[in-house]
Amino acid sequence: MVTNIKLEELIDVNVLQEIQDIFAKSTRVAAITVDYEGKPVTVPSNFTDFCTELRKNPKWRDKCYKCDAYGGIQSLINRAPHIYKCHAGLYDFSVPIVIDNNYVGAIMGGQAKLIDEDECDEKTGAFGKLSKWSGDKLINYYDSIEEKKFEDLESAAYLIYKISTYMVEHEFVNMIKKELIDKQTKLMEEENRRISLEKALKESELKALQYQINPHFMFNALNTIQNLAYLENAPKTQDIIHSFSDLIKYSLRNEDTNTTYLYDEINYVESYMNIQKARFGNKINYSIDIDKKYYDIKCPFMILQPILENFIKYVVEKSVDIAEIKIKGYENNDDLVIEIMDNGEGISTEKIRKILEGYDYKNKGECIGLYNINQRLISLYGKEYGLEMYSANFKATGLITNIRIPMIEVKNDV
């Protein structure tokens, strides 16, 4: 099958050039490698002065290309070297280059006169009619071309055919090996990712079991405390208990769910930050700027909570200034981007890389929340939706974290 795959994409042209040069020098015949259209891929080796001069003229050069293309196709049909008379009256041979049943080009050779031309015409082919070239220089160059025996030209053709066939098979085997190694590497990466996710899931389940209490008793206790706050006219306490109750209800209600609605996540953030505001007072500020038209979009459950926890731990608790966190949402193509920006000290690029790759979690038991966010996003939406983190390393914009969510139903929502 003829293909438009480029020969240089499949074979090392430098190695091919070296083989071609050595072959031409040792056999004293011209040689060149062309693509399926007859256009040169290598530099000519041992070309005759006649053919070199002829190809300087665009008209003759085009005929030479067509002639080489013809020779290549004929050798492909025969699956063997093909000897023929070119348009300028010289004898050439072509050797097909076939990779995995794809014809990508040919090695051309010859540019010779034959001593026994009359005896071997029936063994050769011809490319159309002879061209009517003229000029003293071309005539002199043609007359100076060395005559060869047909068997010598045929032997040279089969020699380069054997060499090129071996080289092509070697390159093809290497190409197949590379594809297999790439596939094996990809499978190993997928398997490692699966094992890592299963480990994280088991650890999360164990942690949940460690902190599990009877939900009915807990909510009855919270309701009792809230009623006491009302009776004692303590509205702030009542508000905090209400926020805490919402947090617990939300986490228990969705404990077996991968996704939820963005509306519920925003409510969770409001309740969580309301409690933290009561704890830290004016030392903490937060804002949420997400249009309500996005509230019905499905998103991963509890996707923002680890980021908020890190903000409290690494920005609020370690800063003497006012700590700020801003959450906003905007469209980018078919995705909703949730941007979380704080005014902390920031994180280095190397530290971010270690967090997302799970280095800190696996080696130090740290940053499991951010690592899990990244793995969950990749698991739900694909590798291109991994967590994005970057830092300007100054307090105005300490750390910016972007979560991208496709604005469609999640296929593997359970």
Side-chain angles (χ1 to χ4, degrees):
M1 181 179 69
V2 179
T3 178
N4 59 0
I5 298 174
K6 292 183 179 180
L7 179 62
E8 52 267 37
E9 294 176 353
L10 303 174
I11 295 178
D12 189 332
V13 176
N14 292 327
V15 175
L16 182 59
Q17 181 74 58
E18 187 177 358
I19 292 172
Q20 176 188 293
D21 290 341
I22 295 171
F23 165 77
K25 184 177 181 180
S26 60
T27 58
R28 299 178 63 187
V29 299
I32 191 170
T33 304
V34 301
D35 62 17
Y36 71 98
E37 293 181 324
K39 296 178 180 178
V41 174
T42 59
V43 177
S45 303
N46 199 35
F47 258 37
T48 63
D49 292 334
F50 173 77
C51 290
T52 301
E53 185 67 25
L54 197 70
R55 290 193 177 210
K56 290 180 180 178
N57 185 309
K59 174 184 175 182
W60 301 124
R61 183 170 61 244
D62 185 59
K63 285 195 174 185
C64 289
Y65 289 171
K66 290 180 180 178
C67 188
D68 288 348
Y70 157 81
I73 293 297
Q74 291 301 312
S75 64
L76 172 66
I77 294 172
N78 299 331
R79 290 299 176 106
H82 177 66
I83 301 175
Y84 63 98
K85 184 181 285 188
C86 77
H87 72 97
L90 298 177
Y91 284 87
D92 288 339
F93 66 78
S94 60
V95 169
I97 300 177
V98 181
I99 298 179
D100 194 24
N101 289 323
N102 291 302
Y103 173 69
V104 293
I107 299 177
M108 316 301 300
Q111 298 180 0
K113 296 177 185 176
L114 294 183
I115 297 172
D116 46 355
E117 179 177 354
D118 294 337
E119 300 175 10
C120 64
D121 274 347
E122 62 182 29
K123 300 179 183 179
T124 63
F127 174 70
K129 297 180 180 180
L130 292 178
S131 299
K132 295 181 180 180
W133 49 268
S134 59
D136 292 340
K137 183 183 284 188
L138 282 175
I139 292 172
N140 291 334
Y141 283 153
Y142 182 82
D143 290 340
S144 66
I145 294 174
E146 181 183 355
E147 291 185 332
K148 298 181 182 295
K149 290 183 179 181
F150 175 81
E151 63 179 359
D152 292 337
L153 192 64
E154 185 179 42
S155 296
Y158 273 91
L159 173 62
I160 194 63
Y161 175 64
K162 293 291 185 181
I163 294 173
S164 65
T165 300
Y166 174 80
M167 183 183 68
V168 166
E169 288 177 351
H170 179 72
E171 290 290 334
F172 179 65
V173 168
N174 286 340
M175 187 170 63
I176 294 299
K177 284 182 179 178
K178 184 178 182 303
E179 288 181 0
L180 289 174
I181 290 172
D182 289 344
K183 288 180 180 178
Q184 188 176 24
T185 301
K186 189 175 181 180
L187 286 173
M188 289 176 64
E189 289 176 351
E190 292 294 331
E191 179 66 12
N192 289 337
R193 187 179 294 113
R194 183 188 64 80
I195 292 172
S196 179
L197 283 171
E198 287 181 353
K199 183 179 178 182
L201 179 61
K202 287 179 180 178
E203 289 181 355
S204 297
E205 290 174 348
L206 179 61
K207 189 175 180 180
L209 287 172
Q210 290 172 342
Y211 290 99
Q212 190 177 47
I213 60 175
N214 188 309
H216 294 291
F217 169 78
M218 181 176 61
F219 286 121
N220 287 335
L222 286 173
N223 286 332
T224 300
I225 297 170
Q226 189 172 17
N227 289 331
L228 285 173
Y230 174 76
L231 293 172
E232 294 174 356
N233 193 23
K236 289 185 178 180
T237 304
Q238 188 179 5
D239 184 47
I240 294 302
I241 294 171
H242 180 75
S243 295
F244 181 66
S245 179
D246 283 347
L247 290 185
I248 300 301
K249 287 179 182 178
Y250 180 60
S251 60
L252 290 177
R253 186 188 66 193
N254 294 279
E255 61 183 354
D256 296 322
T257 305
N258 282 335
T259 61
T260 187
Y261 290 101
L262 184 58
Y263 171 81
D264 294 324
E265 278 292 300
I266 293 173
N267 279 346
Y268 178 90
V269 171
E270 292 278 7
S271 297
Y272 182 87
M273 295 306 295
N274 188 32
I275 294 173
Q276 298 297 348
K277 280 282 289 181
R279 178 185 174 192
F280 292 100
N282 294 331
K283 188 181 177 181
I284 183 172
N285 283 332
Y286 78 95
S287 64
I288 301 175
D289 182 17
I290 300 179
D291 197 297
K292 290 184 178 180
K293 66 181 180 180
Y294 301 123
Y295 279 14
D296 289 336
I297 292 175
K298 282 288 191 73
C299 69
F301 170 64
M302 296 281 278
I303 198 70
L304 295 173
Q305 193 265 352
I307 300 173
L308 298 177
E309 276 194 0
N310 277 9
F311 168 68
I312 298 300
K313 182 176 180 180
Y314 296 106
V315 180
V316 179
E317 293 182 352
K318 293 187 176 182
S319 174
V320 295
D321 301 322
I322 296 175
E324 294 183 345
I325 186 168
K326 298 177 181 179
I327 302 172
K328 69 177 182 178
Y330 60 88
E331 285 188 36
N332 183 6
N333 296 326
D334 293 328
D335 298 331
L336 172 66
V337 178
I338 301 176
E339 181 185 270
I340 306 99
M341 180 172 65
D342 66 44
N343 66 337
E345 294 292 342
I347 305 177
S348 69
T349 302
E350 178 64 15
K351 179 69 173 178
I352 290 173
R353 182 187 66 80
K354 288 183 177 180
I355 289 172
L356 296 182
E357 291 180 359
Y359 176 86
D360 286 349
Y361 154 57
K362 295 172 183 175
N363 293 278
K364 304 177 185 177
E366 299 175 356
C367 300
I368 184 174
L370 295 175
Y371 173 72
N372 279 346
I373 290 177
N374 186 48
Q375 294 301 306
R376 289 171 61 203
L377 288 170
I378 292 173
S379 177
L380 281 171
Y381 309 123
K383 195 171 183 180
E384 65 274 19
Y385 283 90
L387 189 66
E388 298 172 356
M389 299 172 65
Y390 54 97
S391 180
N393 279 320
F394 56 85
K395 291 188 177 182
T397 54
L399 178 66
I400 297 176
T401 305
N402 285 341
I403 297 172
R404 289 194 305 120
I405 301 169
M407 293 189 290
I408 55 174
E409 283 281 324
V410 181
K411 293 181 180 179
N412 55 341
D413 183 21
V414 293

